[in-house]
Amino acid sequence: MDKEDLLNRIFEENIPDADAIKALGGDHELLEEYQFRKSLQVALIRKRRVAQKKLLHQISLKERVKRKRLIWLGLAASLSLLLVTVWILRPQSSTAEVLYAQYYQTFPNRIAPSLRDQNKQLTEVQKAFVLYDNGEYSDAIVAFKKLYESDREAFLLFYLGVSHMETGQFKLALQSFKELKSDDLNPDLRGFEIWYTGLCHLRLNEPAVAKEYLELLSSNVTHPMSELSRKLISELP
Amino acid sequence: MFEEKLLLEKLRNNEPAAIEYVYVQYKKAFFGFIGKMELNKQDIEDIYQDAIIALIENLQRRKLDVLMSSVKTYLFSIGKYMAIKRWHKKLPGSSETIPDLVFEEGQVEDVYDSMATVIENNFDRLGHNCREILSMFYYESLTLDEILQKSSYANKDVLKSKKSRCLKKLKELCKIVIHG
């Protein structure tokens, strides 16, 4: 058998290293050739292992990213579900509430317009309306109440009622409007207490009662709120 | 899902999809199985990857034509052996070495280490045909007759002389001189 065939046979038959070296019979040149080829075999195995390790590392990274993404997707899905649930279970705004929000407007200060002259001493009424104009309704309520106790002016009760509405105290507002006598109001305020009474009942989800008040206004064709009252009546639930 | 026989064939052909399938399919169970030993996650991940590499290598190098058990059982038994070996290494005062039964060439590698490194760095400079012949013969352990069947060489002598020329070329690239 020639040397090349011998070397090929060693590799083809997977002869163990020690036996292979023995089979070479002390031929130094052949041993060097065998060692080169064996080194080639080792190099190829190593190269393949390195490539496979690299591939497995990439697979592992990919899998980790996928798992993380799944966790995030799960969290996002849970969050979405939670938001949908919260949205479904949210306190529903009734039609009456929506109508109220559409029709309600703060009544302007027609009694004591704010003065530009800072040096002039303000009366108590003016001070109360400054609070009202500034949107400080809680303080305005205190001021209007105090003034009404001493002055007994109907407009004070009217603005007290509107201030209660601004702070969401509709029942107190109704008390104020009920207490005042329309005829005692300044002409340009007259009838508006009916409008606001209607709106209070609307906000308290009493559309039928609201309608009764609004009809009082709608039938008074000369009142500025007559047209708006008719419109609101047509939209009542 | 791969049929077991088809899976082995695909692993033998080094198909990334099959390798990924095996990796993902058995990972959780493997971690549960090896996790009972006192090894950290990174060690178990390394062992798992090495077990897969050993499975593929043994298939590709014709050390394993047919599995007597399932891929999973084979992987787990290799992994268990590797884990014991690694765990043993970590024991304080451990001097006894456990032989490498998984990678056949494991112990031989050291002897040929330096020359193998030079070859590793130059092998890819060979032409495609040379790389293919040498890989089939020295890595896949195919005989010359088997390579002849797979290739377009006229006869075994032509193939033999082509292989010899490839080895000579590789020696030149590696600047290795065989004294004769």
Side-chain angles (χ1 to χ4, degrees), chain B residues 40-52:
Chain B
N40 62 40
K41 271 191 175 177
Q42 190 50 54
D43 278 339
I44 302 173
E45 174 76 42
D46 272 349
I47 292 166
Y48 186 53
Q49 292 185 6
D50 287 347
I52 295 173

Side-chain angles (χ1 to χ4, degrees), chain A residues 2 4-5 7-9 11-12 14 17 21 28-30 32-50 52-53 55-57 59-64 66-67, chain B residues 14 19-20 23 27 45-46 49-50 53 56-57 60-61 63 103 105 109 112-113 115-117 119-120 123-124 134-135 137-139 141 143-144 160 163-164 167 170-171 176-180:
Chain A
D2 77 356
E4 185 61 29
D5 286 339
L7 285 171
N8 284 340
R9 224 191 98 200
F11 285 95
E12 281 185 335
N14 278 313
D17 202 43
I21 292 168
H28 188 68
E29 184 193 346
L30 204 54
E32 275 191 18
E33 187 60 43
Y34 168 75
Q35 283 173 336
F36 169 71
R37 294 182 191 200
K38 195 71 191 170
S39 301
L40 167 61
Q41 190 175 53
V42 170
L44 290 174
I45 291 169
R46 267 200 221 157
K47 264 175 84 71
R48 202 60 81 95
R49 281 181 195 167
V50 168
Q52 273 156 357
K53 191 82 182 173
L55 175 68
L56 283 164
H57 186 65
I59 292 170
S60 162
L61 281 179
K62 195 173 133 187
E63 200 226 351
R64 234 176 288 167
K66 211 192 246 176
R67 206 171 341 124
Chain B
N14 217 28
I19 298 172
E20 185 169 350
Y23 180 89
K27 187 179 176 185
E45 174 76 42
D46 272 349
Q49 292 185 6
D50 287 347
I53 291 169
I56 299 167
E57 188 176 304
Q60 289 175 341
R61 302 204 64 227
K63 311 279 181 208
F103 290 118
E105 310 301 331
E109 269 185 40
Y112 303 100
D113 193 51
M115 201 189 283
T117 304
I119 294 171
E120 230 180 313
F123 185 77
D124 288 337
L134 295 181
S135 292
F137 192 79
Y138 292 103
Y139 178 76
S141 306
T143 63
L144 287 170
K160 267 166 72 177
K163 183 168 86 70
S164 296
L167 286 168
L170 182 60
K171 278 178 215 161
I176 292 170
V177 181
I178 304 287
H179 303 285

Side-chain angles (χ1 to χ4, degrees), chain B residues 36-85:
Chain B
K36 290 165 195 158
M37 293 187 194
E38 285 171 28
L39 291 168
N40 62 40
K41 271 191 175 177
Q42 190 50 54
D43 278 339
I44 302 173
E45 174 76 42
D46 272 349
I47 292 166
Y48 186 53
Q49 292 185 6
D50 287 347
I52 295 173
I53 291 169
L55 166 70
I56 299 167
E57 188 176 304
N58 289 337
L59 283 167
Q60 289 175 341
R61 302 204 64 227
R62 317 279 152 174
K63 311 279 181 208
L64 189 74
D65 281 331
V66 183
L67 278 185
M68 300 308 284
S69 55
S70 67
V71 170
K72 185 182 173 185
T73 310
Y74 185 80
L75 258 186
F76 279 36
S77 59
I78 300 175
K80 189 181 173 186
Y81 185 82
M82 287 174 163
I84 291 170
K85 212 175 160 203

Side-chain angles (χ1 to χ4, degrees), chain A residues 106 131-142 162-163 166-167:
Chain A
T106 314
L131 293 169
Y132 183 85
D133 288 338
N134 290 342
E136 296 167 48
Y137 297 107
S138 298
D139 292 335
I141 286 169
V142 175
V162 177
S163 299
E166 286 289 346
T167 54

